[in-house]
Amino acid sequence: MEDSTAKGLKESRKKRERIAKVKGTIVSIIGIWLMISIVICAVLMWRVSRLEEKMDYLLDNFTVSGQMDAESKQTLPNTDESMYFNLEDTTEVSLMEEMGYGIVPVMNQKENIAQENDTHKVYLTFDDGPSSNTAQILDILKKYDLKATFFVIGREGEEYEELYKRIVEEGHTLAMHSYTHKYKVLYESLESFVDDFSRIQNYLYKVTGKECLYYRFPGGSSNHVSNTDMTEFISYLNEQGITYFDWNVSSGDATSQAYTPEELVQNVTSDIVKYKTSIVLMHDAETKTSTVQALEPMILALQSMGVEILPIDESTTVVQHIAATSVEQ
Ligand code: ZN
């Protein structure tokens, strides 16, 4: 009797031990599974945030005009029509365009096609500054007694304030290129566009005492990044009496392909001959050292071609990817 009770106790203890063991195993498996899930989630979240940052960076900095140039040159004959639709000169185009969403034609360019013996007016424009490169660009322009146009963004701090002032004092055209240059914020709604616009306009007025009359949309008026219809913003600028400029010649310094300074010069000189008025897109952001290196040889090459190099003013032929006049008030 005692034996069987002891046996029973032993067995039930063994059973409890087995159950405890199974429970322990299940708890450990759940624990490990939870840990793995948490680690995977953390890794995925980190990767998503990295990708978002990368996407923002790409949208802000890179374009694909080089690849498009090659393609459009192959597939389109060099007729008036192909120039009219200006497939070659879309820098700062968005990733959407890279994905094949097409390029918006330049609608007001036909009368700008140069005929033989026409004089060429060239407007050098620098976007995304001021930065440490801006001072060097200003020095080079000063050396050749030339004026250009700077489409600046909002940068706080004494060193930047000095650069905005220098641009104005040395006779260049100070123009706006948004305060934040953040596509997501800027183009979120008309309200956020207006906020950003007022911010850059007031800031530049406060720093330089100069009222800016010209604007360049980050990504151009034909960008496909904006969630809001660009015509809303265009109509707002029209109301404010602000003229926006896109470009019809691209140096290529915004593209993901790193052009050498020689290639940047070549890109510009080969394109400006097509137009009476060339609005040349360049960048003076922190990373654009090739642009600084290209500037002096570019000036020399342009001067040897006998072109006029001018700053944008009220007499400049307006180059717009979406014509302001096509937008109803
Ligand atoms: Zn820009």
Side-chain angles (χ1 to χ4, degrees), residues 97-110:
E97 282 175 348
E98 187 176 22
M99 291 172 205
Y101 280 73
I103 303 161
V104 175
V106 175
M107 296 308 290
N108 56 349
Q109 284 293 285
K110 202 163 194 177

Side-chain angles (χ1 to χ4, degrees), residues 102-143:
I103 303 161
V104 175
V106 175
M107 296 308 290
N108 56 349
Q109 284 293 285
K110 202 163 194 177
E111 62 277 21
N112 192 24
I113 302 295
Q115 308 300 323
E116 225 176 313
N117 300 325
D118 271 342
T119 52
H120 300 278
K121 288 182 177 177
V122 174
Y123 296 83
L124 302 177
T125 71
F126 299 92
D127 287 13
D128 300 352
S131 79
S132 54
N133 288 323
T134 311
Q136 295 183 66
I137 288 172
L138 286 167
D139 289 343
I140 297 168
L141 292 168
K142 198 178 207 173
K143 182 175 167 189

Side-chain angles (χ1 to χ4, degrees), residues 60 92 127-128 177 181 183 218-219 283:
D60 278 4
E92 266 203 4
D127 287 13
D128 300 352
H177 188 45
H181 203 287
Y183 293 77
H283 293 81

